[in-house]
Amino acid sequence: MIEIAVIGGGPAGLIAAREAARAGAEVVVFEEHREIGEPERCAGLLSISGLERLGFSANGRYLQNIVKGAMIKSSGGRWRVLDAGKPVAAVVSRSIFDKEAARQAEHAGAEIICGVRVKAVKRCWGEFLITASDEIYQSSWVIDAEGAGAALLRRFLGAGTEPKGWIPIIQLIVENHGLDKRFVYIYLKNYLPDFFAYLIPIDGSLGKLGVASRSPNLRELLRRFLVEEFPDARCLSASSHVIYTGSPLDSTMLFPLRFVPVGDAAGHVKATTGGGVIMGGLIAARIASAIAASLRGSSSEKLLAEARRVVEELWRIAFLRRLIGGMSSPLLDLLTAIATSRMGSLYLSKRGDMDFQASSILGSRF
Ligand SMILES: Cc1cc2nc3c(=O)[nH]c(=O)nc-3n(C[C@H](O)[C@H](O)[C@H](O)COP(=O)(O)OP(=O)(O)OC[C@H]3O[C@@H](n4cnc5c(N)ncnc54)[C@H](O)[C@@H]3O)c2cc1C
């Protein structure tokens, strides 16, 4: 009998496994791919403060680049610069980052089984029966970290994240982007109304370029963006996936069920950027610690309250996104101008937090 079965060996599942194992729980992670971190489909832009909050070094083997701000191109073609004047974010290889998370989880005592897809989870007499490949495992708790799609969660709960919150995205690795590698680049385009396009430099030549849209012509829009902004860049590889821009599930409400979704499966993502590694990791860590505490007969209330505070921040960020999404291009441009003005930049470099975006605007802290 396993104490905690974790479905999915992405960052949320692995961080949950690490924390639960550190707190003394017996944890098994099931990952369908043969290798942790593969296939890599993420830009890997992670705040340095967030990495530290999660217990990862900003200088790990996964580090590809450090950036100090963002350059934002308005739909009218005007550049605005948001320069924190200090390193604020790391660009990481998600493949190597996830392998490091797996190493930490195993070091803490978790077992990771790769190449095994969980096909079904059933509750039976107060425990869970997990069908993975052709074997059936029993567990007391399930942490569902299966990522986007979350078919098992939908089958178990009959509900999940907001379907319209997911946006298809194509990410390319490009060569010869020709931009300053100390910034990330955001492009607001009228023909990409659902999201923005980005270029995240790996170095002075290589970069991760993403274009997201609900349009059925996403490939056509990507081609148009490349012609307009990167006519000299060469595409080395491409991947397609989805990012979440909706509201999160409050997983703490599901704690009594002992089947708790975390990470993308629960929409624990910043709706403004689609970034889910840090916030998903923070919630997963606290929920896993709360489960471990509950298994040992200790109180889990404080840890659940901490997880709920991060979920509440994600709700506020989702509200911000809805506000921004309803703005006309001139109003959005004005907002960008204010944020990138001398005063705005000064405020953001002192109080800004890439992860706790709503709190940094409202002036409160996590
Ligand atoms: C193009 C793109 C760019 C992004 N850029 C950023 C960024 O710059 N910064 C950021 O913070 N976030 C970014 N994100 C979002 C980020 O990738 C996700 O929020 C993050 O990966 C979520 O982690 P997770 O562990 O919840 O899910 P995942 O990373 O998706 O991991 C889920 C794991 O579960 C496994 N799995 C699924 N079903 C089963 C099953 N039935 N049995 C066994 N295993 C299963 C999968 O194989 C997978 O390994 C980006 C996403 C995309 C698509």
Side-chain angles (χ1 to χ4, degrees):
M1 173 86 142
I2 304 165
E3 283 186 323
I4 307 175
V6 178
I7 306 172
L14 294 167
I15 291 166
R18 180 190 73 182
E19 292 308 306
R22 278 182 184 165
E26 189 204 333
V27 187
V28 177
V29 181
F30 298 94
E31 167 54 48
E32 64 181 335
H33 291 105
R34 289 189 180 283
E35 194 178 329
I36 293 289
E38 300 295 338
E40 184 167 341
R41 301 183 283 209
C42 175
L45 182 70
L46 309 178
S47 68
I48 292 172
S49 56
L51 279 167
E52 285 163 359
R53 278 181 181 129
L54 283 177
F56 288 87
S57 155
N59 287 316
R61 287 183 309 120
Y62 36 77
L63 180 68
Q64 297 176 317
N65 187 19
I66 293 271
V67 296
K68 62 172 186 146
M71 306 259 281
I72 305 164
K73 192 171 189 181
S74 73
S75 54
R78 180 162 182 181
W79 280 107
R80 310 265 188 201
V81 187
L82 202 57
D83 186 350
K86 61 181 181 195
V88 283
V91 181
V92 307
S93 152
R94 264 293 303 277
S95 171
I96 305 177
F97 178 81
D98 287 15
K99 287 181 177 70
E100 170 58 19
R103 191 196 64 76
Q104 292 184 8
E106 283 180 324
H107 185 255
E111 182 184 353
I112 300 174
I113 307 177
C114 285
V116 167
R117 177 171 177 76
V118 173
K119 291 185 198 146
V121 179
K122 283 202 180 114
R123 190 192 270 282
C124 183
W125 300 107
E127 64 191 43
F128 293 97
L129 299 181
I130 295 165
T131 312
S133 292
D134 293 327
E135 287 199 53
I136 295 186
Y137 298 80
Q138 288 168 279
S139 78
S140 306
W141 286 79
V142 173
I143 295 181
D144 182 359
E146 61 181 312
L152 295 169
L153 175 68
R154 273 173 206 286
R155 246 179 280 150
F156 188 83
L157 268 191
T161 51
E162 299 168 59
K164 64 177 182 2
W166 294 95
I167 305 183
I169 183 165
I170 300 180
Q171 181 173 278
L172 310 179
I173 302 293
V174 294
E175 191 178 45
N176 198 28
H177 58 68
L179 298 171
D180 180 345
K181 71 168 191 161
R182 296 171 304 164
F183 292 90
V184 297
Y185 300 83
I186 291 170
Y187 301 82
L188 307 174
K189 297 279 184 188
N190 286 331
Y191 57 86
L192 296 172
D194 306 318
F195 204 64
F196 50 82
Y198 61 79
L199 184 289
I200 296 180
I202 295 173
D203 58 29
S205 173
L206 290 177
K208 306 177 198 185
L209 181 152
V211 173
S213 171
R214 289 194 183 90
S215 159
N217 301 326
L218 179 53
R219 278 175 195 282
E220 201 40 59
L221 296 176
L222 169 66
R223 235 171 263 132
R224 178 173 174 185
F225 177 70
L226 283 170
V227 169
E228 271 180 23
E229 301 292 343
F230 295 96
D232 300 326
R234 199 162 68 89
C235 170
L236 302 182
S237 65
S239 63
S240 300
H241 202 40
V242 281
I243 42 165
Y244 190 60
T245 60
S247 298
L249 298 181
D250 182 359
S251 302
T252 64
M253 299 283 285
L254 302 171
F255 194 78
L257 293 180
R258 289 193 279 111
F259 182 103
V260 193
V262 295
D264 273 20
H268 293 163
V269 172
K270 289 172 285 181
T272 43
T273 63
V277 174
I278 301 293
M279 299 300 258
L282 288 174
I283 298 168
R286 279 157 180 80
I287 283 181
S289 303
I291 294 173
S294 168
L295 279 164
R296 300 286 164 264
S298 310
S299 167
S300 49
E301 279 313 305
K302 191 166 164 276
L303 290 155
L304 288 177
E306 283 177 16
R308 201 170 302 121
R309 276 207 291 280
V310 187
V311 172
E312 283 165 3
E313 176 71 14
L314 291 178
W315 273 331
R316 286 192 288 268
I317 294 174
F319 176 70
L320 270 185
R321 183 191 151 86
R322 283 198 294 277
L323 266 186
I324 294 168
M327 284 179 186
S328 62
S329 295
L331 191 58
L332 193 58
D333 200 24
L334 178 67
L335 196 74
T336 318
I338 294 169
T340 53
S341 65
R342 247 178 87 84
M343 286 297 285
S345 293
L346 197 69
Y347 180 82
L348 288 174
S349 66
K350 282 213 163 106
R351 317 263 335 219
D353 187 315
M354 265 176 71
D355 300 308
F356 289 83
Q357 298 165 355
S359 292
S360 42
I361 291 170
L362 299 171
S364 59
R365 285 259 150 206
F366 172 60

